[in-house]
Amino acid sequence: KQEVTQIPAALSVPEGENLVLNCSFTDSAIYNLQWFRQDPGKGLTSLLLIQSSQREQTSGRLNASLDKSSGRSTLYIAASQPGDSATYLCAVRDDKIIFGKGTRLHILP
Amino acid sequence: DVKVTQSSRYLVKRTGEKVFLECVQDMDHENMFWYRQDPGLGLRLIYFSYDVKMKEKGDIPEGYSVSREKKERFSLILESASTNQTSMYLCASKMGGGEQFFGPGTRLTVL
């Protein structure tokens, strides 16, 4: 049974720093992996989708990588800003879509 | 841009009431999903649909039903609301192996 883990559950980082969020999964037979952000009380906003054949995807200051063999994905955020404060979730798709519980990120001004 | 809308942002109902949550997407997506999100439990799939009039149970379907009469609309029904159904309800849609897009969520409180 696929399990998706995001560690740490919470992270505080000073503004301007680069940071990495982690997502690990137990079964490497996935079709794709998607990263989302969620602001308090709101829905999920899609950030990046990586297909199983891809190694990384980039959008602005965000870069997501995928290493299927090790069951890991990372979301790199460059030059963090207070507006990046949110909960970041990853989800993997095999025959179902399985979500991690997220990392709550706080960027300190 | 894909738009997924949900009928209400906040809803307060009483125990035993029948509750309808509606979700509409405007990008002709085949697949639609209903999740609930609770602190410490993350997102849990209630039901999904991969085509009109088709539905599949997710991980926690008990106490819920769904309806998909048109491709763009997926409704979640609480036949007799209970306090343990107080939660944030999130609708999502996607096409095939593509990105999943979420609505803004409905925070339901059952008194």
Side-chain angles (χ1 to χ4, degrees):
Chain A
K1 180 187 171 188
Q2 179 76 266
E3 292 183 7
V4 180
T5 304
Q6 293 184 251
I7 295 173
L11 183 64
S12 293
V13 174
E15 180 180 1
E17 285 199 6
N18 303 326
L19 62 101
V20 174
L21 304 179
N22 298 299
C23 173
S24 61
F25 47 95
T26 54
D27 187 341
S28 62
I30 65 170
Y31 293 110
N32 59 46
L33 184 146
Q34 192 170 358
W35 281 94
F36 299 86
R37 72 172 277 166
Q38 185 177 30
D39 295 289
K42 302 283 180 66
L44 279 67
T45 299
S46 176
L47 297 174
L48 290 163
L49 173 72
I50 312 177
Q51 300 292 349
S52 62
S53 57
Q54 297 174 320
R55 299 281 294 183
E56 64 177 341
Q57 283 284 339
T58 298
S59 175
R61 292 183 297 109
L62 306 179
N63 177 276
S65 69
L66 175 63
D67 184 343
K68 275 179 48 178
S69 61
S70 67
R72 291 193 61 210
S73 175
T74 60
L75 179 67
Y76 174 83
I77 303 177
S80 59
Q81 304 170 356
D84 295 330
S85 296
T87 297
Y88 290 80
L89 296 100
C90 66
V92 302
R93 178 175 169 248
D94 44 30
D95 59 342
K96 297 170 69 172
I97 299 173
I98 313 296
F99 283 82
K101 292 187 178 177
T103 294
R104 192 169 59 255
L105 176 65
H106 181 48
I107 304 300
L108 304 166
Chain B
D1 278 355
V2 174
K3 190 145 189 180
V4 181
T5 57
Q6 294 183 229
S7 50
S8 305
R9 290 300 312 279
Y10 301 94
L11 209 52
V12 179
K13 296 292 182 180
R14 297 206 174 273
T15 302
E17 282 193 77
K18 191 168 185 175
V19 181
F20 293 87
L21 303 181
E22 300 218 320
C23 175
V24 177
Q25 50 93 6
D26 66 357
M27 283 301 290
D28 203 35
H29 284 172
E30 301 160 338
N31 304 296
M32 297 188 74
F33 307 81
W34 275 106
Y35 296 89
R36 61 178 285 177
Q37 185 178 33
D38 300 286
L41 298 177
L43 273 82
R44 293 180 291 168
L45 181 64
I46 305 172
Y47 267 97
F48 67 100
S49 168
Y50 53 88
D51 203 351
V52 176
K53 296 193 186 295
M54 307 301 287
K55 60 185 179 184
E56 293 285 341
K57 293 181 180 178
D59 300 317
I60 51 162
E62 297 79 18
Y64 303 94
S65 62
V66 290
S67 171
R68 188 146 181 223
E69 296 297 316
K70 293 185 178 181
K71 193 173 186 179
E72 67 270 19
R73 188 180 298 268
F74 192 34
S75 302
L76 180 69
I77 303 154
L78 287 66
E79 295 288 344
S80 177
S82 63
T83 55
N84 63 14
Q85 292 178 311
T86 291
S87 186
M88 175 70 132
Y89 289 88
L90 293 163
C91 174
S93 74
K94 74 183 189 75
M95 176 71 82
E99 287 179 87
Q100 194 174 33
F101 293 92
F102 279 79
T106 296
R107 171 123 0 238
L108 172 67
T109 302
V110 182
L111 301 175

mmCIF file of all heavy atoms in Angstrom, chain A residues 32 34 36 38 40-49 51 89 91 93 95-101, chain B residues 9-10 33 35 37 40-43 45 59 88 90 94 96-105 107:
data_model
loop_
_atom_site.group_PDB
_atom_site.id
_atom_site.type_symbol
_atom_site.label_atom_id
_atom_site.label_comp_id
_atom_site.label_asym_id
_atom_site.label_seq_id
_atom_site.Cartn_x
_atom_site.Cartn_y
_atom_site.Cartn_z
ATOM 1 N N ASN A 32 2.714 9.763 -11.808
ATOM 2 C CA ASN A 32 3.183 11.145 -11.671
ATOM 3 C C ASN A 32 3.138 11.581 -10.219
ATOM 4 O O ASN A 32 2.640 10.856 -9.343
ATOM 5 C CB ASN A 32 2.374 12.100 -12.565
ATOM 6 C CG ASN A 32 0.889 12.094 -12.266
ATOM 7 O OD1 ASN A 32 0.477 12.151 -11.115
ATOM 8 N ND2 ASN A 32 0.069 12.062 -13.305
ATOM 9 N N GLN A 34 2.499 15.345 -7.948
ATOM 10 C CA GLN A 34 2.067 16.735 -8.057
ATOM 11 C C GLN A 34 2.321 17.441 -6.738
ATOM 12 O O GLN A 34 2.077 16.885 -5.669
ATOM 13 C CB GLN A 34 0.567 16.784 -8.432
ATOM 14 C CG GLN A 34 0.066 18.141 -8.855
ATOM 15 C CD GLN A 34 -1.345 18.090 -9.452
ATOM 16 O OE1 GLN A 34 -1.953 17.019 -9.586
ATOM 17 N NE2 GLN A 34 -1.884 19.235 -9.820
ATOM 18 N N PHE A 36 1.353 20.877 -4.434
ATOM 19 C CA PHE A 36 0.314 21.874 -4.237
ATOM 20 C C PHE A 36 0.722 22.801 -3.096
ATOM 21 O O PHE A 36 1.493 22.417 -2.211
ATOM 22 C CB PHE A 36 -1.015 21.222 -3.804
ATOM 23 C CG PHE A 36 -1.611 20.253 -4.769
ATOM 24 C CD1 PHE A 36 -1.233 18.914 -4.765
ATOM 25 C CD2 PHE A 36 -2.589 20.663 -5.663
ATOM 26 C CE1 PHE A 36 -1.807 18.008 -5.645
ATOM 27 C CE2 PHE A 36 -3.179 19.760 -6.533
ATOM 28 C CZ PHE A 36 -2.781 18.434 -6.530
ATOM 29 N N GLN A 38 -1.421 25.210 -0.132
ATOM 30 C CA GLN A 38 -2.746 25.474 0.425
ATOM 31 C C GLN A 38 -2.614 26.584 1.462
ATOM 32 O O GLN A 38 -1.869 26.464 2.428
ATOM 33 C CB GLN A 38 -3.338 24.215 1.083
ATOM 34 C CG GLN A 38 -4.763 24.429 1.576
ATOM 35 C CD GLN A 38 -5.380 23.172 2.157
ATOM 36 O OE1 GLN A 38 -4.692 22.311 2.702
ATOM 37 N NE2 GLN A 38 -6.693 23.051 2.041
ATOM 38 N N PRO A 40 -4.427 28.949 4.425
ATOM 39 C CA PRO A 40 -5.389 28.590 5.479
ATOM 40 C C PRO A 40 -6.835 28.795 5.045
ATOM 41 O O PRO A 40 -7.202 29.867 4.535
ATOM 42 C CB PRO A 40 -5.007 29.532 6.628
ATOM 43 C CG PRO A 40 -3.561 29.808 6.418
ATOM 44 C CD PRO A 40 -3.372 29.865 4.923
ATOM 45 N N GLY A 41 -7.640 27.780 5.218
ATOM 46 C CA GLY A 41 -9.063 27.867 4.909
ATOM 47 C C GLY A 41 -9.394 27.864 3.432
ATOM 48 O O GLY A 41 -10.544 28.106 3.061
ATOM 49 N N LYS A 42 -8.409 27.595 2.600
ATOM 50 C CA LYS A 42 -8.642 27.644 1.154
ATOM 51 C C LYS A 42 -8.442 26.260 0.526
ATOM 52 O O LYS A 42 -8.018 25.314 1.178
ATOM 53 C CB LYS A 42 -7.647 28.619 0.507
ATOM 54 C CG LYS A 42 -7.723 30.042 1.055
ATOM 55 C CD LYS A 42 -8.900 30.788 0.519
ATOM 56 C CE LYS A 42 -8.991 32.202 1.067
ATOM 57 N NZ LYS A 42 -7.862 33.046 0.608
ATOM 58 N N GLY A 43 -8.729 26.185 -0.773
ATOM 59 C CA GLY A 43 -8.475 24.956 -1.509
ATOM 60 C C GLY A 43 -7.001 24.820 -1.859
ATOM 61 O O GLY A 43 -6.173 25.633 -1.476
ATOM 62 N N LEU A 44 -6.680 23.758 -2.597
ATOM 63 C CA LEU A 44 -5.301 23.498 -2.999
ATOM 64 C C LEU A 44 -5.033 24.141 -4.350
ATOM 65 O O LEU A 44 -5.872 24.055 -5.259
ATOM 66 C CB LEU A 44 -5.047 21.991 -3.108
ATOM 67 C CG LEU A 44 -4.758 21.230 -1.821
ATOM 68 C CD1 LEU A 44 -5.960 21.193 -0.897
ATOM 69 C CD2 LEU A 44 -4.281 19.815 -2.153
ATOM 70 N N THR A 45 -3.855 24.740 -4.470
ATOM 71 C CA THR A 45 -3.429 25.330 -5.739
ATOM 72 C C THR A 45 -2.312 24.477 -6.323
ATOM 73 O O THR A 45 -1.312 24.236 -5.648
ATOM 74 C CB THR A 45 -2.933 26.773 -5.527
ATOM 75 O OG1 THR A 45 -3.999 27.553 -4.997
ATOM 76 C CG2 THR A 45 -2.458 27.378 -6.844
ATOM 77 N N SER A 46 -2.485 24.029 -7.553
ATOM 78 C CA SER A 46 -1.465 23.208 -8.187
ATOM 79 C C SER A 46 -0.227 24.042 -8.484
ATOM 80 O O SER A 46 -0.322 25.149 -9.017
ATOM 81 C CB SER A 46 -2.018 22.621 -9.492
ATOM 82 O OG SER A 46 -1.014 21.890 -10.158
ATOM 83 N N LEU A 47 0.933 23.498 -8.130
ATOM 84 C CA LEU A 47 2.206 24.180 -8.398
ATOM 85 C C LEU A 47 2.943 23.535 -9.565
ATOM 86 O O LEU A 47 3.299 24.205 -10.535
ATOM 87 C CB LEU A 47 3.095 24.149 -7.142
ATOM 88 C CG LEU A 47 2.557 24.868 -5.912
ATOM 89 C CD1 LEU A 47 3.473 24.629 -4.723
ATOM 90 C CD2 LEU A 47 2.403 26.356 -6.175
ATOM 91 N N LEU A 48 3.183 22.242 -9.461
ATOM 92 C CA LEU A 48 3.968 21.540 -10.469
ATOM 93 C C LEU A 48 3.506 20.091 -10.539
ATOM 94 O O LEU A 48 3.173 19.488 -9.521
ATOM 95 C CB LEU A 48 5.469 21.568 -10.121
ATOM 96 C CG LEU A 48 6.166 22.928 -10.238
ATOM 97 C CD1 LEU A 48 7.489 22.915 -9.492
ATOM 98 C CD2 LEU A 48 6.395 23.276 -11.701
ATOM 99 N N LEU A 49 3.515 19.549 -11.756
ATOM 100 C CA LEU A 49 3.228 18.134 -11.984
ATOM 101 C C LEU A 49 4.442 17.525 -12.662
ATOM 102 O O LEU A 49 4.921 18.062 -13.669
ATOM 103 C CB LEU A 49 2.005 17.983 -12.873
ATOM 104 C CG LEU A 49 1.676 16.564 -13.329
ATOM 105 C CD1 LEU A 49 1.125 15.740 -12.176
ATOM 106 C CD2 LEU A 49 0.671 16.574 -14.487
ATOM 107 N N GLN A 51 5.716 14.060 -14.425
ATOM 108 C CA GLN A 51 5.369 12.731 -14.908
ATOM 109 C C GLN A 51 6.489 11.756 -14.529
ATOM 110 O O GLN A 51 7.624 12.147 -14.298
ATOM 111 C CB GLN A 51 5.164 12.750 -16.422
ATOM 112 C CG GLN A 51 4.063 13.676 -16.903
ATOM 113 C CD GLN A 51 2.672 13.227 -16.487
ATOM 114 O OE1 GLN A 51 2.460 12.110 -15.998
ATOM 115 N NE2 GLN A 51 1.690 14.113 -16.655
ATOM 116 N N LEU A 89 1.737 20.492 -0.062
ATOM 117 C CA LEU A 89 1.393 19.082 -0.091
ATOM 118 C C LEU A 89 1.892 18.451 -1.385
ATOM 119 O O LEU A 89 1.898 19.100 -2.438
ATOM 120 C CB LEU A 89 -0.117 18.863 -0.016
ATOM 121 C CG LEU A 89 -0.820 19.315 1.261
ATOM 122 C CD1 LEU A 89 -1.490 20.658 1.055
ATOM 123 C CD2 LEU A 89 -1.867 18.302 1.691
ATOM 124 N N ALA A 91 1.382 14.856 -3.817
ATOM 125 C CA ALA A 91 0.459 13.749 -4.061
ATOM 126 C C ALA A 91 1.038 12.874 -5.154
ATOM 127 O O ALA A 91 1.504 13.386 -6.173
ATOM 128 C CB ALA A 91 -0.913 14.277 -4.478
ATOM 129 N N ARG A 93 0.416 9.585 -7.830
ATOM 130 C CA ARG A 93 -0.643 8.840 -8.497
ATOM 131 C C ARG A 93 -0.097 7.483 -8.929
ATOM 132 O O ARG A 93 0.842 7.398 -9.712
ATOM 133 C CB ARG A 93 -1.163 9.602 -9.717
ATOM 134 C CG ARG A 93 -2.226 8.836 -10.476
ATOM 135 C CD ARG A 93 -2.838 9.630 -11.612
ATOM 136 N NE ARG A 93 -3.655 8.752 -12.438
ATOM 137 C CZ ARG A 93 -3.360 8.408 -13.699
ATOM 138 N NH1 ARG A 93 -2.287 8.890 -14.272
ATOM 139 N NH2 ARG A 93 -4.145 7.605 -14.368
ATOM 140 N N ASP A 95 -2.500 3.707 -8.869
ATOM 141 C CA ASP A 95 -3.880 3.462 -9.309
ATOM 142 C C ASP A 95 -4.850 4.350 -8.531
ATOM 143 O O ASP A 95 -6.040 4.387 -8.815
ATOM 144 C CB ASP A 95 -4.251 1.989 -9.162
ATOM 145 C CG ASP A 95 -4.129 1.489 -7.739
ATOM 146 O OD1 ASP A 95 -3.459 2.149 -6.931
ATOM 147 O OD2 ASP A 95 -4.719 0.438 -7.431
ATOM 148 N N LYS A 96 -4.334 5.065 -7.572
ATOM 149 C CA LYS A 96 -5.098 6.059 -6.823
ATOM 150 C C LYS A 96 -4.220 7.296 -6.691
ATOM 151 O O LYS A 96 -3.066 7.305 -7.095
ATOM 152 C CB LYS A 96 -5.427 5.525 -5.418
ATOM 153 C CG LYS A 96 -6.306 4.298 -5.402
ATOM 154 C CD LYS A 96 -6.383 3.693 -4.010
ATOM 155 C CE LYS A 96 -7.146 4.556 -3.041
ATOM 156 N NZ LYS A 96 -7.377 3.859 -1.750
ATOM 157 N N ILE A 97 -4.798 8.348 -6.124
ATOM 158 C CA ILE A 97 -4.001 9.541 -5.808
ATOM 159 C C ILE A 97 -3.852 9.589 -4.293
ATOM 160 O O ILE A 97 -4.857 9.609 -3.572
ATOM 161 C CB ILE A 97 -4.680 10.811 -6.333
ATOM 162 C CG1 ILE A 97 -4.831 10.738 -7.848
ATOM 163 C CG2 ILE A 97 -3.867 12.047 -5.941
ATOM 164 C CD1 ILE A 97 -5.642 11.869 -8.450
ATOM 165 N N ILE A 98 -2.605 9.562 -3.842
ATOM 166 C CA ILE A 98 -2.317 9.524 -2.399
ATOM 167 C C ILE A 98 -1.609 10.815 -2.008
ATOM 168 O O ILE A 98 -0.577 11.160 -2.592
ATOM 169 C CB ILE A 98 -1.413 8.333 -2.028
ATOM 170 C CG1 ILE A 98 -1.914 7.036 -2.678
ATOM 171 C CG2 ILE A 98 -1.322 8.192 -0.507
ATOM 172 C CD1 ILE A 98 -3.262 6.585 -2.223
ATOM 173 N N PHE A 99 -2.159 11.494 -1.002
ATOM 174 C CA PHE A 99 -1.596 12.754 -0.542
ATOM 175 C C PHE A 99 -0.737 12.571 0.698
ATOM 176 O O PHE A 99 -1.048 11.740 1.559
ATOM 177 C CB PHE A 99 -2.722 13.730 -0.193
ATOM 178 C CG PHE A 99 -3.383 14.355 -1.375
ATOM 179 C CD1 PHE A 99 -4.377 13.689 -2.069
ATOM 180 C CD2 PHE A 99 -3.012 15.622 -1.807
ATOM 181 C CE1 PHE A 99 -4.982 14.259 -3.175
ATOM 182 C CE2 PHE A 99 -3.613 16.207 -2.913
ATOM 183 C CZ PHE A 99 -4.593 15.522 -3.594
ATOM 184 N N GLY A 100 0.331 13.357 0.787
ATOM 185 C CA GLY A 100 1.013 13.523 2.060
ATOM 186 C C GLY A 100 0.221 14.466 2.939
ATOM 187 O O GLY A 100 -0.753 15.087 2.490
ATOM 188 N N LYS A 101 0.637 14.591 4.203
ATOM 189 C CA LYS A 101 -0.085 15.465 5.122
ATOM 190 C C LYS A 101 0.425 16.893 5.097
ATOM 191 O O LYS A 101 -0.129 17.763 5.778
ATOM 192 C CB LYS A 101 -0.030 14.885 6.535
ATOM 193 C CG LYS A 101 -0.826 13.601 6.637
ATOM 194 C CD LYS A 101 -0.919 13.097 8.059
ATOM 195 C CE LYS A 101 -1.769 11.827 8.082
ATOM 196 N NZ LYS A 101 -1.844 11.233 9.416
ATOM 197 N N ARG B 9 -18.946 28.540 0.378
ATOM 198 C CA ARG B 9 -17.681 28.531 1.117
ATOM 199 C C ARG B 9 -17.887 28.049 2.544
ATOM 200 O O ARG B 9 -17.042 27.354 3.101
ATOM 201 C CB ARG B 9 -17.057 29.928 1.148
ATOM 202 C CG ARG B 9 -16.515 30.421 -0.178
ATOM 203 C CD ARG B 9 -15.409 29.532 -0.741
ATOM 204 N NE ARG B 9 -14.376 29.190 0.226
ATOM 205 C CZ ARG B 9 -13.371 29.981 0.555
ATOM 206 N NH1 ARG B 9 -13.243 31.162 0.012
ATOM 207 N NH2 ARG B 9 -12.474 29.589 1.453
ATOM 208 N N TYR B 10 -19.017 28.469 3.125
ATOM 209 C CA TYR B 10 -19.335 28.076 4.494
ATOM 210 C C TYR B 10 -20.789 27.617 4.540
ATOM 211 O O TYR B 10 -21.642 28.194 3.882
ATOM 212 C CB TYR B 10 -19.143 29.254 5.468
ATOM 213 C CG TYR B 10 -17.752 29.810 5.486
ATOM 214 C CD1 TYR B 10 -17.407 30.900 4.692
ATOM 215 C CD2 TYR B 10 -16.774 29.240 6.280
ATOM 216 C CE1 TYR B 10 -16.120 31.402 4.698
ATOM 217 C CE2 TYR B 10 -15.479 29.743 6.299
ATOM 218 C CZ TYR B 10 -15.164 30.814 5.499
ATOM 219 O OH TYR B 10 -13.886 31.307 5.502
ATOM 220 N N PHE B 33 -13.620 14.532 -8.238
ATOM 221 C CA PHE B 33 -13.324 13.925 -6.938
ATOM 222 C C PHE B 33 -13.948 14.755 -5.809
ATOM 223 O O PHE B 33 -14.009 15.973 -5.907
ATOM 224 C CB PHE B 33 -11.808 13.901 -6.688
ATOM 225 C CG PHE B 33 -11.001 13.271 -7.784
ATOM 226 C CD1 PHE B 33 -10.676 13.991 -8.921
ATOM 227 C CD2 PHE B 33 -10.548 11.969 -7.664
ATOM 228 C CE1 PHE B 33 -9.917 13.421 -9.934
ATOM 229 C CE2 PHE B 33 -9.786 11.390 -8.667
ATOM 230 C CZ PHE B 33 -9.465 12.111 -9.804
ATOM 231 N N TYR B 35 -13.185 15.138 -1.667
ATOM 232 C CA TYR B 35 -12.346 14.825 -0.515
ATOM 233 C C TYR B 35 -12.904 15.549 0.707
ATOM 234 O O TYR B 35 -13.581 16.568 0.598
ATOM 235 C CB TYR B 35 -10.919 15.342 -0.705
ATOM 236 C CG TYR B 35 -10.140 14.740 -1.830
ATOM 237 C CD1 TYR B 35 -10.181 15.291 -3.107
ATOM 238 C CD2 TYR B 35 -9.301 13.649 -1.615
ATOM 239 C CE1 TYR B 35 -9.428 14.767 -4.142
ATOM 240 C CE2 TYR B 35 -8.535 13.114 -2.650
ATOM 241 C CZ TYR B 35 -8.602 13.688 -3.908
ATOM 242 O OH TYR B 35 -7.852 13.161 -4.926
ATOM 243 N N GLN B 37 -11.105 17.095 4.379
ATOM 244 C CA GLN B 37 -9.808 17.363 4.977
ATOM 245 C C GLN B 37 -10.000 17.701 6.443
ATOM 246 O O GLN B 37 -10.745 18.643 6.779
ATOM 247 C CB GLN B 37 -9.108 18.519 4.248
ATOM 248 C CG GLN B 37 -7.703 18.789 4.736
ATOM 249 C CD GLN B 37 -7.026 19.913 3.956
ATOM 250 O OE1 GLN B 37 -7.687 20.848 3.513
ATOM 251 N NE2 GLN B 37 -5.727 19.811 3.761
ATOM 252 N N GLY B 40 -4.736 16.681 11.092
ATOM 253 C CA GLY B 40 -4.057 15.456 11.490
ATOM 254 C C GLY B 40 -4.355 14.245 10.624
ATOM 255 O O GLY B 40 -3.640 13.250 10.683
ATOM 256 N N LEU B 41 -5.408 14.336 9.816
ATOM 257 C CA LEU B 41 -5.787 13.192 8.958
ATOM 258 C C LEU B 41 -5.519 13.452 7.487
ATOM 259 O O LEU B 41 -5.563 12.528 6.672
ATOM 260 C CB LEU B 41 -7.273 12.860 9.149
ATOM 261 C CG LEU B 41 -7.688 12.427 10.546
ATOM 262 C CD1 LEU B 41 -9.195 12.203 10.608
ATOM 263 C CD2 LEU B 41 -6.947 11.157 10.975
ATOM 264 N N GLY B 42 -5.257 14.698 7.128
ATOM 265 C CA GLY B 42 -4.974 15.014 5.736
ATOM 266 C C GLY B 42 -6.220 14.915 4.863
ATOM 267 O O GLY B 42 -7.356 14.968 5.345
ATOM 268 N N LEU B 43 -6.006 14.774 3.575
ATOM 269 C CA LEU B 43 -7.106 14.631 2.619
ATOM 270 C C LEU B 43 -7.506 13.161 2.510
ATOM 271 O O LEU B 43 -6.649 12.297 2.343
ATOM 272 C CB LEU B 43 -6.699 15.122 1.230
ATOM 273 C CG LEU B 43 -6.880 16.593 0.944
ATOM 274 C CD1 LEU B 43 -5.703 17.369 1.507
ATOM 275 C CD2 LEU B 43 -6.997 16.825 -0.552
ATOM 276 N N LEU B 45 -10.236 10.603 0.397
ATOM 277 C CA LEU B 45 -11.116 10.538 -0.760
ATOM 278 C C LEU B 45 -12.451 9.916 -0.375
ATOM 279 O O LEU B 45 -12.494 8.809 0.161
ATOM 280 C CB LEU B 45 -10.447 9.728 -1.871
ATOM 281 C CG LEU B 45 -11.229 9.576 -3.164
ATOM 282 C CD1 LEU B 45 -11.424 10.934 -3.848
ATOM 283 C CD2 LEU B 45 -10.506 8.612 -4.100
ATOM 284 N N ASP B 59 -12.075 6.136 -0.109
ATOM 285 C CA ASP B 59 -11.660 5.492 1.131
ATOM 286 C C ASP B 59 -12.681 5.589 2.248
ATOM 287 O O ASP B 59 -12.713 4.746 3.141
ATOM 288 C CB ASP B 59 -10.332 6.105 1.602
ATOM 289 C CG ASP B 59 -9.234 5.913 0.586
ATOM 290 O OD1 ASP B 59 -9.137 4.796 0.021
ATOM 291 O OD2 ASP B 59 -8.475 6.870 0.330
ATOM 292 N N MET B 88 -13.852 20.213 6.262
ATOM 293 C CA MET B 88 -13.633 20.974 5.034
ATOM 294 C C MET B 88 -13.788 19.988 3.876
ATOM 295 O O MET B 88 -13.121 18.943 3.840
ATOM 296 C CB MET B 88 -12.216 21.558 5.038
ATOM 297 C CG MET B 88 -11.837 22.260 3.745
ATOM 298 S SD MET B 88 -12.723 23.792 3.510
ATOM 299 C CE MET B 88 -11.389 24.888 3.078
ATOM 300 N N LEU B 90 -13.509 19.327 -0.161
ATOM 301 C CA LEU B 90 -12.792 19.824 -1.327
ATOM 302 C C LEU B 90 -13.154 19.001 -2.553
ATOM 303 O O LEU B 90 -13.121 17.777 -2.528
ATOM 304 C CB LEU B 90 -11.283 19.741 -1.097
ATOM 305 C CG LEU B 90 -10.736 20.678 -0.015
ATOM 306 C CD1 LEU B 90 -9.351 20.243 0.415
ATOM 307 C CD2 LEU B 90 -10.708 22.104 -0.504
ATOM 308 N N LYS B 94 -9.785 16.521 -12.989
ATOM 309 C CA LYS B 94 -8.613 16.401 -13.842
ATOM 310 C C LYS B 94 -8.971 15.629 -15.095
ATOM 311 O O LYS B 94 -9.975 14.924 -15.152
ATOM 312 C CB LYS B 94 -7.445 15.735 -13.116
ATOM 313 C CG LYS B 94 -7.548 14.255 -12.903
ATOM 314 C CD LYS B 94 -6.340 13.791 -12.101
ATOM 315 C CE LYS B 94 -6.249 12.287 -12.024
ATOM 316 N NZ LYS B 94 -5.770 11.709 -13.307
ATOM 317 N N GLY B 96 -7.512 12.741 -17.506
ATOM 318 C CA GLY B 96 -6.540 11.680 -17.686
ATOM 319 C C GLY B 96 -5.408 11.735 -16.682
ATOM 320 O O GLY B 96 -5.621 11.781 -15.478
ATOM 321 N N GLY B 97 -4.155 11.727 -17.190
ATOM 322 C CA GLY B 97 -2.983 11.765 -16.329
ATOM 323 C C GLY B 97 -2.476 13.154 -16.025
ATOM 324 O O GLY B 97 -1.336 13.311 -15.592
ATOM 325 N N GLY B 98 -3.313 14.137 -16.234
ATOM 326 C CA GLY B 98 -2.889 15.519 -16.052
ATOM 327 C C GLY B 98 -3.006 16.016 -14.627
ATOM 328 O O GLY B 98 -3.247 15.263 -13.692
ATOM 329 N N GLU B 99 -2.827 17.315 -14.486
ATOM 330 C CA GLU B 99 -2.900 17.947 -13.184
ATOM 331 C C GLU B 99 -4.291 17.846 -12.591
ATOM 332 O O GLU B 99 -5.294 17.906 -13.297
ATOM 333 C CB GLU B 99 -2.585 19.443 -13.292
ATOM 334 C CG GLU B 99 -1.138 19.785 -13.532
ATOM 335 C CD GLU B 99 -0.968 21.283 -13.654
ATOM 336 O OE1 GLU B 99 -0.793 21.940 -12.615
ATOM 337 O OE2 GLU B 99 -1.031 21.781 -14.788
ATOM 338 N N GLN B 100 -4.317 17.769 -11.265
ATOM 339 C CA GLN B 100 -5.577 17.802 -10.540
ATOM 340 C C GLN B 100 -5.790 19.244 -10.067
ATOM 341 O O GLN B 100 -4.881 19.860 -9.498
ATOM 342 C CB GLN B 100 -5.521 16.849 -9.355
ATOM 343 C CG GLN B 100 -6.851 16.544 -8.717
ATOM 344 C CD GLN B 100 -6.743 15.467 -7.638
ATOM 345 O OE1 GLN B 100 -5.741 15.371 -6.949
ATOM 346 N NE2 GLN B 100 -7.791 14.671 -7.490
ATOM 347 N N PHE B 101 -6.991 19.763 -10.314
ATOM 348 C CA PHE B 101 -7.312 21.135 -9.936
ATOM 349 C C PHE B 101 -8.414 21.120 -8.885
ATOM 350 O O PHE B 101 -9.407 20.387 -9.027
ATOM 351 C CB PHE B 101 -7.765 21.931 -11.161
ATOM 352 C CG PHE B 101 -6.678 22.141 -12.170
ATOM 353 C CD1 PHE B 101 -6.502 21.239 -13.209
ATOM 354 C CD2 PHE B 101 -5.827 23.221 -12.079
ATOM 355 C CE1 PHE B 101 -5.495 21.410 -14.140
ATOM 356 C CE2 PHE B 101 -4.815 23.409 -13.006
ATOM 357 C CZ PHE B 101 -4.644 22.501 -14.034
ATOM 358 N N PHE B 102 -8.243 21.956 -7.871
ATOM 359 C CA PHE B 102 -9.160 21.966 -6.742
ATOM 360 C C PHE B 102 -10.030 23.217 -6.725
ATOM 361 O O PHE B 102 -9.625 24.297 -7.181
ATOM 362 C CB PHE B 102 -8.378 21.909 -5.430
ATOM 363 C CG PHE B 102 -7.936 20.526 -5.062
ATOM 364 C CD1 PHE B 102 -6.823 19.954 -5.656
ATOM 365 C CD2 PHE B 102 -8.648 19.783 -4.135
ATOM 366 C CE1 PHE B 102 -6.415 18.659 -5.326
ATOM 367 C CE2 PHE B 102 -8.253 18.501 -3.793
ATOM 368 C CZ PHE B 102 -7.137 17.936 -4.391
ATOM 369 N N GLY B 103 -11.212 23.077 -6.158
ATOM 370 C CA GLY B 103 -12.067 24.195 -5.853
ATOM 371 C C GLY B 103 -11.642 24.861 -4.557
ATOM 372 O O GLY B 103 -10.717 24.398 -3.881
ATOM 373 N N PRO B 104 -12.339 25.933 -4.154
ATOM 374 C CA PRO B 104 -11.953 26.702 -2.965
ATOM 375 C C PRO B 104 -12.319 26.043 -1.642
ATOM 376 O O PRO B 104 -11.862 26.477 -0.591
ATOM 377 C CB PRO B 104 -12.714 28.021 -3.141
ATOM 378 C CG PRO B 104 -13.887 27.645 -3.967
ATOM 379 C CD PRO B 104 -13.435 26.568 -4.880
ATOM 380 N N GLY B 105 -13.121 24.992 -1.708
ATOM 381 C CA GLY B 105 -13.482 24.302 -0.468
ATOM 382 C C GLY B 105 -14.782 24.810 0.126
ATOM 383 O O GLY B 105 -15.162 25.972 -0.050
ATOM 384 N N ARG B 107 -16.474 24.766 3.953
ATOM 385 C CA ARG B 107 -16.345 24.418 5.365
ATOM 386 C C ARG B 107 -17.744 24.160 5.901
ATOM 387 O O ARG B 107 -18.544 25.080 6.016
ATOM 388 C CB ARG B 107 -15.680 25.535 6.150
ATOM 389 C CG ARG B 107 -15.728 25.316 7.618
ATOM 390 C CD ARG B 107 -14.478 25.279 8.451
ATOM 391 N NE ARG B 107 -13.174 25.456 7.901
ATOM 392 C CZ ARG B 107 -12.225 24.533 8.038
ATOM 393 N NH1 ARG B 107 -12.484 23.424 8.662
ATOM 394 N NH2 ARG B 107 -11.027 24.745 7.556
#
